[in-house]
Amino acid sequence: MNIKHKIPILLLVLYIALGVFIQYNGISEFKSLPSPIYGGDYYYQMGVIWHIRDGGNPLESSSMIGGMPGYLPLYAYLCAKFCDLLNLDTMKGILYFSVVLFIMTSVIWFYLFRVLFKDDWVALIEVVLA
């Protein structure tokens, strides 16, 4: 593989590094979740993550006995395991997990667009647009 084919990958890595730097600097000083603007959804999600971290079933409601989960449980489960893995409190875990999600989704989008369009440059442009 020559250097011409590696440039889009290097630019993707640069894009991810820049995005992580900007996002981390934006959230590292937060003292609480930015929920009041968003109607409390972040705090509800934090309750779901606490429920899972305390041994609750991710497929059950965290607020009602016998109820269905209010949100799809995959995010809460992954975030709870991220918090447990790095021994973070739930609020910091939610904030820092967003950085991990940015990295993962950028890579997934790139490979998806690469398969769809069979061109690394188009895939890179689509990742930035997404």
Side-chain angles (χ1 to χ4, degrees):
M1 182 180 239
N2 64 21
I3 192 72
K4 256 174 90 171
H5 296 296
K6 292 182 182 180
I7 291 175
I9 304 293
L10 294 173
L11 288 174
L12 176 68
V13 170
L14 180 66
Y15 167 75
I16 291 172
L18 181 64
V20 165
F21 176 76
I22 291 170
Q23 189 170 358
Y24 179 79
N25 284 331
I27 65 172
S28 63
E29 298 298 320
F30 282 9
K31 303 288 185 235
S32 67
L33 296 174
S35 284
I37 297 172
Y38 301 106
D41 287 346
Y42 283 140
Y43 281 100
Y44 182 83
Q45 194 68 35
M46 187 164 58
V48 174
I49 294 167
W50 269 332
H51 169 74
I52 294 170
R53 291 185 76 189
D54 287 339
N57 185 350
L59 299 176
E60 291 178 350
S61 174
S62 62
S63 57
M64 293 185 328
I65 296 174
M68 297 292 291
Y71 289 89
L72 294 174
L74 181 62
Y75 168 77
Y77 181 78
L78 292 174
C79 189
K81 295 307 169 191
F82 176 77
C83 293
D84 291 342
L85 181 69
L86 297 180
N87 199 23
L88 296 170
D89 64 33
T90 303
M91 191 197 72
K92 287 291 184 188
I94 290 172
L95 294 173
Y96 294 136
F97 190 60
S98 66
V99 176
V100 173
L101 284 178
F102 172 75
I103 296 167
M104 289 181 356
T105 56
S106 295
V107 171
I108 290 169
W109 279 118
F110 182 79
Y111 283 109
L112 173 70
F113 289 132
R114 177 192 246 181
V115 168
L116 287 174
F117 298 112
K118 298 182 181 18
D119 186 340
D120 287 350
W121 285 103
V122 173
L124 178 65
I125 293 168
E126 295 296 325
V127 168
V128 173
L129 291 176

